[in-house]
Amino acid sequence: MSARTEISGDVALITIDNPPLDTMNITLRKDLVAALDAVEAAAVQRVILTGSGGTFVAGADVKEGDAPPDVPSMPEIIARIEGFPVPVIAAINGVALGEGLELALGCRMRIATPDATFAFPAVSLGLVPGAGGTQRLPRLIGIGPALELIAQGRTIGSDAAIKLGLVDAVEADPVAAARTIAPSALSEYPAVSARPAPAADDDAVSSAVATASRKQRGQVAPARAIALVADSARLSMAEGLAAERAAFLELRGSEQNLALQHVFCAERAANARSRGLGAASGPLATAVVVGGGTMGAGIAYALDTIGIRVTLVEVDDAAAARTRANVIRLFDDAVKRGKARAASAGEARIPVVVGYDGLPAADIAIEAVFEDLAVKRQVFAALDAALPETTILATNTSYLDPNRLNEGLRAPQRFVGLHFFSPAHVMKLVEVIRARATAPETLARVLELATRLGKLPVLAGVCDGFIGNRILTRYRQACDVMLIEGALPDQVDAALREFGMAMGPYEVQDLSGLDIAYANRKRLGWRDNPAIRYIPIADRIVEETGRLGRKTGAGWYDYGSSGQTPSARINALVEAESGRAGITRRSFGPDEIVARAMAAMASEGLAILQEGIADSPADIDLVLIHGYGFPRWRGGPMHMAERAGLAALLARLERLAVEDPLSWPIPEILRRAVTEGRSLTELARTE
Ligand code: NAI
């Protein structure tokens, strides 16, 4: 039974215990109704509702997300609890999320443990609360605080909950407290729906609307949630509940709901997989990081925050001094953000040394030096000589081949790629690259480390650029083709921003520097490669104009007092290049720009799946969302392709390939998926 009933004297205790995740699902709903029936028949004087372990109820079961709602529904159960012949008290013993919190709001009184947490995650899944949350919460705590919890999905603890009036008492043993409260005191707590409607708060509502349009751009659910909470001030409880349920049922199963649910499940699967591998040896406790530039300093700092003892290695005294300054800046920033870490501690906590003499033994060494095969190989040879044979050796390379970087090492099975994203202490994504020789134990240990760092690890095999940078390269290439055929950089950027990308591809290049992609194209020998359609625009910008992006004050765009503006010079260069290639320019509308860019991403993702570089299409989506500013609420390029239909993608690619076969190779796995009518996830599993 997922809801157990114990009756002692005139008190009934209903304990929810619904493993494995303690979520609300049809089993629990049915068991709750059965428990309420039993309790009602027993003629007790009060009912206490509690959870087990560290959870009250952890929200709705996302697995039920796209099935038709099943009875008994949550609103029915909560209405029954609210109108129960005797008071029902929620003894909130831990996490109370979404429908769990709504269940508690249906009770007369809420008593929570000091470590309980409260949140409404509905909007993060493209939904609004569907069991009275938008109407009961504002009646209890007011419109402004209710908006913060519901529209922004803020999580709060018991301290904040009692100040807001969300809970009535905080007690170490809330069940015991609920048993002893006097009946006269209990009668002072009316049902939440019987309380007066909250006062309207136009300022809070407009500020929530402004926050949502800034932070949740493109998403439907936050605006709906705000409107429902705002309406609680003017609608009756019955009207408000009806409006909320209608909005909930409308959003349930919507494209945004499915996309956000897909990402949520993909994240959970990625985290579960890294926990599930289980390293035989203990957690990594000491580390060496080589190179303390943009990436190395951030990686060292992140390791320090989880208590790993780190030593940074630099190439000479001048570089060591720069690295110290980088590290101190990170500690300074943490202090400014209110994290209590003394800035001056940075230098003492993370020693920076030159060379490898006397390096302390370390469980892991992470290399983050210049992107140069020879330099990196020298570093690994030195690390191999200076550190025990048991030390894991990891590279943060963006593109270079780990199967070559590990050549000549004593124990190549301890070599692995750990591709962090910039800034390394902030970005959640880490691509964990398995080289041919990488041992499962090595993977298990670095995955454990990534999880401890609070990262989202995604496993990838070896290819140029791994999952993310390989797709990025292809995406940019597709955009460059549009430039030469008639689009302008700001049109491409605007269309993709409007679609939901955090930034357009050209403004991103201006931010990271045009020289980086230039060096990469050179390394790949694109100019002379007959197998790809080479578009020389970006190379000409670097070679002829010296405009390398923001750092030189100009790149694809001009940067002046009025900020980023399209550049007449670059637009003329783009047009001239079309002329040189004998192309008659034509216009590209935003829909076509987005469709082509997405087709390129999905098609490269398919090739990546076919080659076994990524384990699943969902992993590819996670990389794009967490590393490249792809809008979460669209679910990622692979999810989008499957939702729109793989046959439609195949037809599009075939059309594009007629005119431009070099840019649009068609992955075999796509033809197979379409012919066999199978999903990409199924096909990836059988590859
Ligand atoms: P960076 O130029 O900021 O830093 C490189 C650091 O390595 C410098 O401090 C330099 O003094 C040091 N270094 C160079 N040779 C060395 C040697 N032989 N021994 C010890 N230290 C040495 O470079 P960044 O951006 O931090 O990149 C480092 C690596 O991380 C590259 O492989 C890059 O591809 C990769 N990466 C960079 C990302 C980024 O956004 N910057 C993102 C992900 C990976």
Side-chain angles (χ1 to χ4, degrees):
M1 284 294 271
S2 59
R4 273 192 324 269
T5 309
E6 295 156 57
I7 297 176
S8 61
D10 58 2
V11 177
L13 175 66
I14 300 176
T15 305
I16 296 169
D17 185 5
N18 195 21
L21 299 170
D22 278 321
T23 48
M24 181 61 72
N25 57 12
I26 184 63
T27 311
L28 176 53
R29 292 202 299 275
K30 284 185 174 156
D31 287 351
L32 271 176
V33 169
L36 290 170
D37 289 345
V39 164
E40 195 164 353
V44 293
Q45 291 306 305
R46 75 179 58 178
V47 181
I48 303 167
L49 191 57
T50 194
S52 45
T55 308
F56 181 65
V57 177
D61 185 345
V62 283
K63 281 211 265 355
E64 283 188 358
D66 32 11
D70 213 344
V71 286
S73 72
M74 274 313 281
E76 284 161 8
I77 294 173
I78 292 171
R80 175 148 183 220
I81 288 177
E82 216 173 32
F84 212 63
V86 297
V88 182
I89 305 169
I92 304 171
N93 56 305
V95 178
L97 294 181
E99 289 188 353
L101 188 43
E102 289 179 296
L103 188 66
L105 290 176
C107 297
R108 290 286 192 85
M109 207 187 159
R110 283 151 295 282
I111 307 175
T113 51
D115 61 354
T117 52
F118 309 84
F120 280 103
V123 291
S124 68
L125 292 168
L127 293 170
V128 293
T134 65
Q135 304 304 300
R136 287 193 182 88
L137 189 67
R139 277 179 166 72
L140 202 55
I141 68 174
I143 297 263
L147 284 171
E148 278 191 36
L149 278 163
I150 291 178
Q152 284 152 43
R154 203 177 132 212
T155 301
I156 59 169
S158 287
D159 279 0
I162 192 146
K163 280 194 202 117
L164 289 172
L166 173 55
V167 299
D168 304 296
V170 176
E171 297 284 348
D173 184 347
V175 172
R179 280 185 199 282
T180 50
I181 186 159
S184 57
L186 197 49
S187 64
E188 284 169 23
Y189 295 92
V192 177
S193 3
R195 296 180 186 220
D201 188 343
D202 293 346
D203 289 349
V205 172
S206 19
S207 132
V209 169
T211 306
S213 59
R214 204 174 61 246
K215 291 196 183 158
Q216 294 146 311
R217 185 167 64 96
Q219 298 185 44
V220 176
R224 300 294 296 273
I226 293 167
L228 288 164
V229 172
D231 283 351
S232 69
R234 55 172 199 89
L235 297 181
S236 71
M237 191 69 195
E239 289 165 336
L241 288 178
E244 179 199 78
R245 192 68 183 165
F248 171 77
L249 292 176
E250 187 191 318
L251 292 173
R252 199 168 181 272
S254 65
E255 281 308 320
Q256 293 199 1
N257 172 222
L258 295 182
L260 288 163
Q261 213 165 276
H262 159 74
V263 180
F264 174 81
C265 293
E267 287 166 348
R268 211 167 53 182
N271 284 322
R273 187 178 48 198
S274 32
R275 276 195 301 273
L277 280 179
S281 20
L284 304 167
T286 50
V288 164
V289 176
V290 189
T294 308
M295 295 306 291
I299 294 168
Y301 175 83
L303 293 170
D304 178 76
T305 58
I306 57 161
I308 290 187
R309 260 180 300 119
V310 190
T311 307
L312 260 165
V313 177
E314 262 296 348
V315 68
D316 56 32
D317 288 340
R322 277 197 306 274
T323 288
R324 276 185 204 107
N326 289 343
V327 171
I328 287 170
R329 200 173 317 121
L330 290 167
F331 279 85
D332 272 345
D333 288 349
V335 171
K336 278 187 210 132
R337 285 198 316 275
K339 300 223 167 118
R341 311 193 80 220
S344 55
E347 205 161 344
R349 293 181 70 89
I350 306 182
V352 182
V353 301
V354 173
Y356 303 82
D357 288 344
L359 210 53
D363 296 328
I364 184 167
I366 303 176
E367 164 280 312
V369 305
F370 301 141
E371 186 74 346
D372 180 296
L373 188 72
V375 175
K376 286 189 191 284
R377 286 174 76 153
Q378 274 167 17
V379 166
F380 283 115
L383 286 171
D384 204 21
L387 294 170
E389 198 177 353
T390 50
T391 302
I392 291 175
L393 299 178
T395 175
N396 185 46
T397 183
S398 306
Y399 291 97
L400 301 176
D401 184 352
N403 290 323
R404 296 189 62 200
L405 288 170
N406 67 4
E407 276 170 10
L409 295 180
R410 278 178 298 172
Q413 65 273 21
R414 295 193 189 280
F415 185 90
V416 67
L418 275 184
H419 185 220
F420 289 86
F421 287 71
S422 180
H425 60 295
V426 177
M427 298 285 283
K428 271 182 89 71
L429 180 67
V430 181
E431 285 179 313
V432 176
I433 320 294
R434 15 163 215 244
R436 260 194 305 275
T438 307
E441 170 70 6
T442 306
L443 279 182
R445 295 191 82 191
V446 296
L447 285 169
E448 190 273 338
L449 173 69
T451 308
R452 242 188 318 145
L453 284 167
K455 302 289 182 196
L456 181 73
V458 172
L459 281 171
V462 174
C463 65
D464 204 277
F466 315 119
I467 299 174
N469 281 340
R470 173 163 161 187
I471 294 181
L472 176 72
T473 302
R474 172 74 184 276
Y475 161 71
R476 287 182 173 172
Q477 202 182 355
C479 292
D480 285 357
V481 169
M482 290 192 268
L483 287 194
I484 206 160
E485 291 184 351
L488 291 172
D490 61 300
Q491 292 168 344
V492 174
D493 279 351
L496 286 158
R497 245 190 346 255
E498 187 54 33
F499 163 80
M501 297 296 291
M503 292 174 82
Y506 296 105
E507 47 196 4
V508 170
Q509 285 180 58
D510 273 358
L511 200 62
S512 52
L514 271 65
D515 45 334
I516 299 197
Y518 176 77
N520 203 38
R521 286 189 298 273
K522 255 189 137 165
R523 182 180 62 81
L524 292 170
W526 272 20
R527 200 177 297 223
D528 309 311
N529 185 346
I532 62 152
R533 180 165 177 201
Y534 172 63
I535 311 287
I537 299 171
D539 285 354
R540 283 194 59 199
I541 297 178
V542 173
E543 288 169 1
E544 294 170 23
T545 72
R547 298 164 62 111
L548 300 182
R550 283 176 182 264
K551 62 184 172 189
T552 58
W556 288 96
Y557 292 89
D558 291 335
Y559 295 91
S561 49
S562 43
Q564 171 184 304
T565 47
S567 158
R569 181 170 176 198
I570 296 301
N571 289 354
L573 190 150
V574 168
E575 284 161 3
E577 205 51 49
S578 306
R580 227 203 267 197
I583 292 169
T584 309
R585 292 177 65 77
R586 67 169 179 93
S587 66
F588 278 79
D591 290 348
E592 186 177 6
I593 292 172
V594 170
R596 271 213 195 182
M598 290 308 117
M601 281 195 187
S603 153
E604 198 63 28
L606 285 160
I608 281 171
L609 275 182
Q610 184 172 301
E611 293 164 31
I613 301 296
D615 289 348
S616 71
D619 277 357
I620 298 177
D621 289 335
L622 288 182
V623 168
L624 270 297
I625 289 166
H626 285 286
Y628 299 85
F630 196 99
R632 181 181 177 90
W633 51 272
R634 293 210 187 253
M638 309 316 285
H639 173 82
M640 280 182 67
E642 292 215 80
R643 287 295 304 159
L646 295 176
L649 175 63
L650 178 59
R652 174 180 290 280
L653 292 179
E654 281 174 336
R655 271 198 313 276
L656 288 162
V658 171
E659 282 184 22
D660 185 0
L662 283 185
S663 300
W664 300 101
I666 298 176
E668 195 44 44
I669 192 173
L670 177 59
R671 292 193 197 282
R672 262 195 22 237
V674 172
T675 321
E676 297 171 18
R678 292 166 74 191
S679 77
L680 294 177
T681 309
E682 279 173 341
L683 279 180
R685 247 184 237 134
T686 54
E687 274 303 300

